[in-house]
Amino acid sequence: MIFALENYSQVAQAYISGLEQRLAAGDPIDHVASVASVFVSRIDSAVDKKLEAKISGGQETLKALLGGTAIANAKIQYKKFREIFGAERFAKLRSAGARVQRPLWASTSTKNPTYRDVMYVETLIGPDTVNTVPPQTFDAYRDHGRVSLSIEQDLVEAENLLDDIAKAGIDLKQVCQQLQDDGVKSFADSFESLIDSITSKKALLTSGLNDRMTINAGGYSDSLKAAIKQCESGQWVKRIFSKDASLWKAEEDHQKIIKNSLGWVRIPELLVKAADDLAVFSARIRNEGFKHVMLLGMGGSSLCPEVFRRTFGKQTGFPELHVLDSTDPATVSAFEQSVDLKKTLFVVASKSGATIEPLMFYKYFYNRVKELKGDHAGENFVAITDPGTLMEKMATDDGFRRIFTNPSDIGGRYSALSYFGMVPAALQGFDFRTLIERSQRAMTACAPVVPAADNPAVRLGTAIGAFANAGRNKLTLIIAPEIESLGLWIEQLVAESTGKEGKGIVPIAGEPLAGTGVYGNDRVFVHIGIGTIDASTDASTDASTDASTESGLRDLESAGHPVIRRSLQDAIDLGEEFFMWEMATAIAGGLMAINPFDQPNVQESKDNTRLLLDEFNKNGRLQGQSLAAEGKGLAVFCSDPTIAELGKGAAIDSFIAAHLRRAGSGDYIALLDYIQETADNESLIQSIRTHLRDALLTATTTGYGPRFLHSTGQLHKGGDSSGVFVQITADDLKDIPLPGEKFSFGVLKQAQALGDFQSLASRNRRAIRIHLGSDIKAGLQALLDIVRSSFPLGKGGKGQAK
């Protein structure tokens, strides 16, 4: 590796000395071949940086030197080559059959986009030279490159330019030495990385990544095989890794979005490199006495950290992680009461930097900390956002401790393995390094060189995509208790990615496994456990799969339902799982002919919320909805056409039952819960959904608002019309004002619920809102009683509707 002229002379003379020694020893020298690698474009990158600094300081005349140092240096090196190998000393060796040591021009791609893209090829053509032209540069040269014997042209100009560089105060020798030192280290690091890669691949083969997944396709084996063949023949994985947007859409507007959304494919490589920095940052936070880390985010910015929080819990010696993703005042208050504000690090996470929930969380808690710490409040805050966002500016202005700028070409729901997931992971204190490494291992296992039939992500993605295209679009997730929260993350990824253009895969997370009699032919089941899978029987042998679950899975297979089994070695394999599902979802989107990287209907609900808040700021109130029925402590609201359809003046039991009875074969019932997530509330909601599933033989989903707006909300509006929606609201017994805003957290939550309902109603979705009043627990119990009495269970669990 050569940069400086002095180094070239040393290398050339050493080569000649070696030949002389061999000749003196009687060894043949006619078979000895050698090249001297002379690096080119990196010199311009380094020198131009110094020139630009001087130019910005007023030395305008130096502009003429930009982009010329590397070629001038190479021409002088070639001149030296001709002198050394044309001298009498080498002539004796030449007569004995010696070959010259050929200059090899390396690093000949053009780094500066303003320079000619083939400049380091066209200007360095000459006898006895080698040019390691990169593929992209080679293609450019074939297209428009000029051929001439250029290496010995303009030598005087080259010498004059190097003199001018020296006169400008730039020590080229020093620059070249630094480049050489950096280059040697880079090559050493690359070699070590190669060895690590080989070791990783060996570990991958022995770890049995493919062995830890089985797919029982039921009656859809041919469809699955055809989908895998389509991926193989179309080189889908190669196109994903090369960011080929045409895999999904041909339209320019879609392609622009897609091309700027595929950074997740290689993000494990970046985070492996960033792991040391994250570990140092985590140690600093711990050593400074922080006891809590509170992530303030929504959707893709919060769900991965929530999985980590629930899975790994409080780590000894590290701050406790909390994840706030609700505008419910009781929830916000409970979070605030659970921490010591002075000893809490707040991580404000927002890709766009303008999402209303993280902004309001930030405003509120920054103001609270400022009341305690004054102008030092920023010490308790960290931001994760894209470059150039409003959040980055606000964080800078308020003196945040640190701003992590995430690659902008990663969508929120695909950001688990980026800073959005890994900063909270590092702060929480579990073994996040290994988690990142396993995600990189999964990336390697899913690389383009792996045949589609052996590619685990292709196998998973084609399965869920092909099954959905065949009508099996209720992706029912049965997950081991240790990692059960993974279902929330998969739910968002799949629902928001596929729910559009009147299509969609409906993830069913958290619904308990039941007998085959309650499931329709719209289901596909995915079991994710921890342990191993017996490939000979497809049976899970992990400790997380109890006998009842295993028996239930076998019954489903016997009944003809497709069943996918995946098994993790331990919870750290979540890194592997994140990447697998991201790639699989992208592949499923291709099979469904949709763009899995946009979310066109999420913005609609945001816009509705903003308009409602503007109305509140102007009039001091939010618009109401039509009352359909009330009683038993409950009130039902909906659109006037819905009231007319279900029965104006009907008793509340009858009205609710009539709405739920609209769910038929292939439909799903979604409970949209704008209330605090507590153990009691969750237990009652699960009882309601389970009874509805068993009684009406219909898939059920549930999600807390406004979190689900950034998750299944896209599916609700952009997917097909198979949803039957029950929005659940309640009075806020205590509200929390927001600094600098006329509206409060409570008003914000109400506006989000109303805006969501407006979006559903505008698409004629079957939706009602049930208001629980001031006693949420009593209201949910009343709703459960209505459901049970309206739909008593018959034999086998089938409901008898009154």
Coordinates of all heavy atoms in Angstrom, one line a residue, residues 427-486:
L427 N -28.8 1.1 27.4 CA -29.1 1.8 28.7 C -29.8 0.8 29.7 O -29.5 0.9 30.9 CB -30.0 3.0 28.5 CG -29.4 4.2 27.8 CD1 -30.5 5.2 27.4 CD2 -28.3 4.8 28.6
Q428 N -30.6 -0.1 29.2 CA -31.2 -1.1 30.1 C -30.2 -2.0 30.7 O -30.4 -2.5 31.8 CB -32.3 -1.9 29.3 CG -33.1 -2.8 30.2 CD -34.2 -3.5 29.4 OE1 -34.3 -3.3 28.2 NE2 -35.0 -4.4 30.0
G429 N -29.1 -2.4 29.9 CA -28.0 -3.1 30.5 C -28.0 -4.6 30.2 O -27.1 -5.3 30.8
F430 N -28.9 -5.1 29.4 CA -28.7 -6.6 29.1 C -27.7 -6.7 28.0 O -27.1 -5.7 27.5 CB -30.0 -7.2 28.7 CG -30.6 -6.7 27.4 CD1 -30.3 -7.3 26.2 CD2 -31.5 -5.6 27.4 CE1 -30.8 -6.8 25.0 CE2 -32.0 -5.1 26.2 CZ -31.7 -5.7 25.0
D431 N -27.4 -7.9 27.5 CA -26.3 -8.2 26.6 C -26.8 -7.8 25.2 O -27.0 -8.6 24.3 CB -26.0 -9.7 26.6 CG -24.8 -10.0 25.8 OD1 -24.1 -9.1 25.3 OD2 -24.5 -11.2 25.7
F432 N -26.8 -6.5 25.0 CA -27.3 -6.0 23.7 C -26.3 -6.2 22.6 O -26.6 -6.3 21.4 CB -27.6 -4.5 23.8 CG -26.4 -3.6 23.7 CD1 -26.0 -3.0 22.6 CD2 -25.7 -3.4 24.9 CE1 -24.9 -2.1 22.5 CE2 -24.5 -2.5 24.9 CZ -24.1 -1.9 23.7
R433 N -25.0 -6.4 22.9 CA -23.9 -6.6 21.9 C -24.2 -8.0 21.2 O -24.2 -8.1 20.0 CB -22.6 -6.7 22.6 CG -22.0 -5.4 23.0 CD -20.7 -5.6 23.7 NE -20.1 -4.4 24.3 CZ -19.2 -3.6 23.6 NH1 -18.9 -4.0 22.3 NH2 -18.7 -2.6 24.1
T434 N -24.5 -9.0 22.0 CA -24.8 -10.3 21.4 C -26.0 -10.3 20.6 O -26.1 -10.9 19.5 CB -24.9 -11.4 22.5 OG1 -23.6 -11.4 23.2 CG2 -25.2 -12.7 21.9
L435 N -27.0 -9.5 21.1 CA -28.3 -9.4 20.3 C -28.0 -8.8 18.9 O -28.5 -9.2 17.9 CB -29.3 -8.5 21.1 CG -30.7 -8.4 20.5 CD1 -31.7 -8.4 21.6 CD2 -30.8 -7.1 19.7
I436 N -27.2 -7.7 18.9 CA -26.8 -7.1 17.6 C -26.0 -8.1 16.7 O -26.3 -8.2 15.5 CB -26.0 -5.8 17.8 CG1 -26.8 -4.8 18.5 CG2 -25.5 -5.3 16.5 CD1 -26.0 -3.6 18.9
E437 N -25.1 -8.8 17.3 CA -24.3 -9.8 16.6 C -25.2 -10.9 16.0 O -25.0 -11.3 14.9 CB -23.2 -10.4 17.5 CG -22.1 -9.4 17.8 CD -21.3 -9.9 19.0 OE1 -21.5 -11.1 19.5 OE2 -20.3 -9.2 19.4
R438 N -26.2 -11.3 16.7 CA -27.1 -12.3 16.2 C -28.0 -11.8 15.1 O -28.4 -12.5 14.2 CB -28.0 -12.9 17.3 CG -27.1 -13.7 18.3 CD -27.9 -14.5 19.3 NE -27.1 -15.2 20.3 CZ -27.6 -15.9 21.3 NH1 -28.9 -16.1 21.4 NH2 -26.7 -16.4 22.2
S439 N -28.3 -10.5 15.2 CA -29.1 -9.9 14.1 C -28.2 -9.9 12.8 O -28.7 -10.1 11.7 CB -29.5 -8.5 14.4 OG -28.4 -7.6 14.4
Q440 N -26.9 -9.6 13.0 CA -26.0 -9.6 11.9 C -25.8 -11.0 11.3 O -25.8 -11.3 10.1 CB -24.6 -9.1 12.2 CG -23.7 -8.9 11.1 CD -22.3 -8.3 11.5 OE1 -21.8 -8.6 12.6 NE2 -21.7 -7.5 10.6
R441 N -25.8 -12.0 12.2 CA -25.8 -13.4 11.8 C -27.0 -13.8 10.9 O -26.9 -14.4 9.9 CB -25.7 -14.3 13.0 CG -25.6 -15.8 12.7 CD -25.5 -16.6 13.9 NE -26.7 -16.7 14.7 CZ -26.9 -17.4 15.8 NH1 -25.9 -18.1 16.3 NH2 -28.1 -17.5 16.4
A442 N -28.2 -13.3 11.4 CA -29.4 -13.5 10.6 C -29.3 -12.8 9.2 O -29.8 -13.4 8.2 CB -30.6 -13.0 11.4
M443 N -28.8 -11.6 9.2 CA -28.6 -10.9 7.9 C -27.7 -11.8 7.0 O -28.0 -11.9 5.8 CB -27.9 -9.6 8.2 CG -27.8 -8.7 6.9 SD -26.7 -7.2 7.2 CE -25.1 -8.0 7.3
T444 N -26.7 -12.4 7.5 CA -25.8 -13.2 6.7 C -26.5 -14.4 6.2 O -26.4 -14.8 5.1 CB -24.6 -13.7 7.5 OG1 -23.9 -12.5 8.0 CG2 -23.6 -14.5 6.7
A445 N -27.4 -15.0 7.1 CA -28.1 -16.2 6.7 C -29.2 -15.9 5.7 O -29.6 -16.9 4.9 CB -28.8 -16.8 8.0
C446 N -29.6 -14.7 5.6 CA -30.6 -14.3 4.6 C -30.0 -13.6 3.4 O -30.8 -12.9 2.7 CB -31.6 -13.4 5.3 SG -32.5 -14.2 6.7
A447 N -28.7 -13.7 3.2 CA -28.1 -12.9 2.1 C -28.5 -13.4 0.8 O -29.0 -14.5 0.6 CB -26.5 -13.0 2.3
P448 N -28.2 -12.6 -0.3 CA -28.6 -13.0 -1.6 C -28.0 -14.3 -2.1 O -28.5 -15.0 -3.0 CB -28.1 -11.8 -2.5 CG -28.1 -10.7 -1.5 CD -27.7 -11.2 -0.2
V449 N -26.8 -14.7 -1.6 CA -26.1 -15.9 -2.1 C -26.9 -17.2 -1.6 O -26.6 -18.3 -2.1 CB -24.7 -16.0 -1.6 CG1 -23.9 -14.8 -2.2 CG2 -24.6 -15.9 0.0
V450 N -27.7 -17.1 -0.6 CA -28.5 -18.2 -0.1 C -29.7 -18.5 -1.0 O -30.5 -17.7 -1.2 CB -28.9 -18.0 1.3 CG1 -29.7 -19.2 1.9 CG2 -27.8 -17.6 2.2
P451 N -29.8 -19.7 -1.5 CA -30.9 -20.1 -2.4 C -32.2 -19.8 -1.6 O -32.3 -20.0 -0.4 CB -30.8 -21.6 -2.6 CG -29.3 -21.8 -2.5 CD -28.8 -20.9 -1.4
A452 N -33.3 -19.4 -2.4 CA -34.5 -19.0 -1.8 C -35.1 -20.1 -0.9 O -35.6 -19.9 0.2 CB -35.5 -18.6 -2.8
A453 N -35.0 -21.3 -1.3 CA -35.6 -22.5 -0.6 C -34.9 -22.7 0.7 O -35.4 -23.3 1.6 CB -35.5 -23.7 -1.4
D454 N -33.6 -22.2 0.8 CA -32.8 -22.4 2.1 C -32.8 -21.1 2.9 O -32.2 -21.1 4.0 CB -31.4 -22.8 1.7 CG -31.4 -24.2 1.0 OD1 -32.3 -25.0 1.4 OD2 -30.5 -24.4 0.2
N455 N -33.3 -20.0 2.4 CA -33.2 -18.7 3.0 C -34.3 -18.6 4.0 O -35.5 -18.6 3.7 CB -33.3 -17.6 2.0 CG -33.0 -16.2 2.5 OD1 -33.6 -15.9 3.6 ND2 -32.2 -15.5 1.8
P456 N -34.0 -18.6 5.3 CA -35.1 -18.6 6.4 C -36.1 -17.4 6.3 O -37.3 -17.7 6.5 CB -34.3 -18.6 7.7 CG -32.9 -18.1 7.3 CD -32.7 -18.5 5.9
A457 N -35.6 -16.3 5.9 CA -36.5 -15.1 5.8 C -37.4 -15.3 4.6 O -38.6 -14.9 4.6 CB -35.8 -13.8 5.7
V458 N -36.9 -15.8 3.5 CA -37.7 -16.1 2.3 C -38.8 -17.2 2.6 O -40.0 -17.0 2.3 CB -36.9 -16.6 1.1 CG1 -37.8 -17.1 0.0 CG2 -36.0 -15.5 0.6
R459 N -38.4 -18.2 3.3 CA -39.4 -19.2 3.7 C -40.5 -18.7 4.5 O -41.7 -19.0 4.3 CB -38.6 -20.4 4.5 CG -37.6 -21.1 3.7 CD -36.9 -22.2 4.5 NE -37.9 -23.1 5.1 CZ -37.7 -23.7 6.3 NH1 -36.6 -23.4 7.0 NH2 -38.6 -24.5 6.8
L460 N -40.1 -17.8 5.5 CA -41.2 -17.2 6.4 C -42.0 -16.2 5.6 O -43.3 -16.3 5.7 CB -40.5 -16.5 7.6 CG -41.4 -15.8 8.6 CD1 -42.4 -16.8 9.2 CD2 -40.6 -15.1 9.6
G461 N -41.4 -15.4 4.8 CA -42.1 -14.3 4.1 C -43.0 -14.9 3.0 O -44.2 -14.4 2.9
T462 N -42.6 -15.9 2.3 CA -43.4 -16.5 1.3 C -44.6 -17.2 1.9 O -45.7 -17.3 1.3 CB -42.6 -17.4 0.4 OG1 -41.9 -18.4 1.2 CG2 -41.6 -16.7 -0.5
A463 N -44.4 -17.8 3.1 CA -45.4 -18.5 3.7 C -46.6 -17.6 4.1 O -47.7 -17.8 3.7 CB -44.9 -19.3 5.0
I464 N -46.2 -16.5 4.8 CA -47.3 -15.6 5.3 C -47.9 -14.9 4.1 O -49.1 -14.6 4.1 CB -46.8 -14.6 6.4 CG1 -45.7 -13.7 5.9 CG2 -46.4 -15.4 7.6 CD1 -45.3 -12.7 6.9
G465 N -47.1 -14.6 3.1 CA -47.7 -13.9 1.9 C -48.5 -14.8 1.1 O -49.6 -14.4 0.6
A466 N -48.1 -16.0 0.8 CA -48.9 -16.9 0.0 C -50.1 -17.3 0.7 O -51.2 -17.4 0.1 CB -48.0 -18.2 -0.3
F467 N -50.1 -17.6 2.0 CA -51.3 -17.9 2.8 C -52.3 -16.8 2.8 O -53.5 -17.0 2.6 CB -50.9 -18.3 4.2 CG -50.0 -19.5 4.3 CD1 -49.2 -19.7 5.5 CD2 -50.0 -20.5 3.4 CE1 -48.4 -20.8 5.6 CE2 -49.2 -21.6 3.5 CZ -48.4 -21.8 4.6
A468 N -51.8 -15.5 2.9 CA -52.7 -14.4 2.9 C -53.4 -14.3 1.5 O -54.6 -14.0 1.4 CB -51.9 -13.1 3.2
N469 N -52.6 -14.4 0.4 CA -53.2 -14.4 -0.9 C -54.3 -15.5 -1.1 O -55.2 -15.3 -1.9 CB -52.1 -14.5 -2.0 CG -51.3 -13.2 -2.1 OD1 -51.7 -12.2 -1.6 ND2 -50.1 -13.4 -2.7
A470 N -54.1 -16.6 -0.4 CA -55.1 -17.6 -0.5 C -56.3 -17.5 0.5 O -57.1 -18.4 0.6 CB -54.4 -19.0 -0.2
G471 N -56.3 -16.3 1.2 CA -57.5 -16.1 2.1 C -57.1 -16.3 3.6 O -57.9 -16.1 4.5
R472 N -55.9 -16.8 3.8 CA -55.5 -17.1 5.2 C -54.7 -15.9 5.7 O -53.5 -15.9 5.8 CB -54.6 -18.3 5.3 CG -55.3 -19.6 4.9 CD -55.9 -20.3 6.1 NE -56.5 -21.6 5.8 CZ -57.0 -22.4 6.7 NH1 -57.0 -22.1 8.0 NH2 -57.5 -23.6 6.3
N473 N -55.5 -14.8 6.0 CA -54.8 -13.5 6.3 C -54.9 -13.2 7.8 O -54.6 -12.0 8.2 CB -55.4 -12.4 5.5 CG -56.8 -12.1 5.8 OD1 -57.6 -12.9 6.4 ND2 -57.2 -10.8 5.5
K474 N -55.4 -14.0 8.7 CA -55.4 -13.8 10.1 C -54.2 -14.5 10.7 O -54.2 -15.7 11.0 CB -56.7 -14.3 10.7 CG -58.0 -13.8 10.1 CD -58.1 -12.3 10.1 CE -59.4 -11.8 9.6 NZ -59.8 -12.2 8.2
L475 N -53.1 -13.7 10.8 CA -51.8 -14.3 11.3 C -51.9 -14.4 12.8 O -51.6 -13.4 13.5 CB -50.7 -13.3 10.8 CG -49.3 -13.8 11.1 CD1 -48.9 -15.0 10.2 CD2 -48.3 -12.7 10.9
T476 N -52.2 -15.5 13.3 CA -52.4 -15.7 14.7 C -51.1 -16.1 15.4 O -50.5 -17.2 15.1 CB -53.5 -16.8 15.0 OG1 -54.6 -16.5 14.2 CG2 -53.8 -17.0 16.4
L477 N -50.7 -15.2 16.3 CA -49.4 -15.4 17.0 C -49.5 -16.1 18.3 O -50.2 -15.6 19.2 CB -48.7 -14.0 17.1 CG -48.5 -13.2 15.8 CD1 -48.1 -11.8 16.1 CD2 -47.4 -13.9 15.0
I478 N -48.8 -17.2 18.5 CA -48.8 -17.9 19.8 C -47.4 -17.9 20.2 O -46.5 -18.6 19.7 CB -49.3 -19.3 19.6 CG1 -50.7 -19.3 19.0 CG2 -49.4 -20.1 21.0 CD1 -51.1 -20.6 18.4
I479 N -47.1 -17.1 21.3 CA -45.7 -16.8 21.6 C -45.4 -17.2 23.1 O -46.2 -17.0 24.0 CB -45.4 -15.3 21.4 CG1 -45.7 -15.0 19.9 CG2 -43.9 -15.0 21.8 CD1 -45.4 -13.5 19.6
A480 N -44.2 -17.8 23.3 CA -43.8 -18.2 24.6 C -43.9 -17.0 25.6 O -43.6 -15.9 25.3 CB -42.4 -18.7 24.6
P481 N -44.4 -17.3 26.9 CA -44.5 -16.3 27.8 C -43.3 -15.4 28.0 O -43.4 -14.2 28.3 CB -44.9 -17.0 29.1 CG -45.5 -18.3 28.6 CD -44.7 -18.7 27.4
E482 N -42.1 -16.0 28.0 CA -40.9 -15.2 28.2 C -40.7 -14.1 27.2 O -40.1 -13.1 27.5 CB -39.7 -16.1 28.1 CG -39.7 -17.2 29.2 CD -40.2 -18.5 28.6 OE1 -41.2 -18.5 27.8 OE2 -39.6 -19.6 28.9
I483 N -41.2 -14.2 26.0 CA -41.0 -13.2 24.9 C -42.4 -12.8 24.4 O -42.5 -12.4 23.2 CB -40.1 -13.8 23.8 CG1 -40.6 -15.1 23.3 CG2 -38.7 -13.9 24.3 CD1 -39.9 -15.6 22.1
E484 N -43.4 -12.9 25.1 CA -44.8 -12.7 24.6 C -45.0 -11.3 24.0 O -45.7 -11.2 23.1 CB -45.8 -13.0 25.7 CG -47.2 -13.0 25.2 CD -48.2 -13.4 26.3 OE1 -47.8 -13.4 27.5 OE2 -49.4 -13.7 26.0
S485 N -44.3 -10.3 24.6 CA -44.5 -9.0 24.1 C -43.9 -8.8 22.6 O -44.2 -7.8 22.0 CB -43.7 -8.0 25.0 OG -42.4 -8.3 25.1
L486 N -43.2 -9.8 22.1 CA -42.7 -9.7 20.7 C -44.0 -9.6 19.8 O -43.9 -9.0 18.7 CB -41.9 -11.0 20.4 CG -41.5 -11.2 19.0 CD1 -40.5 -10.1 18.5 CD2 -40.8 -12.6 18.8

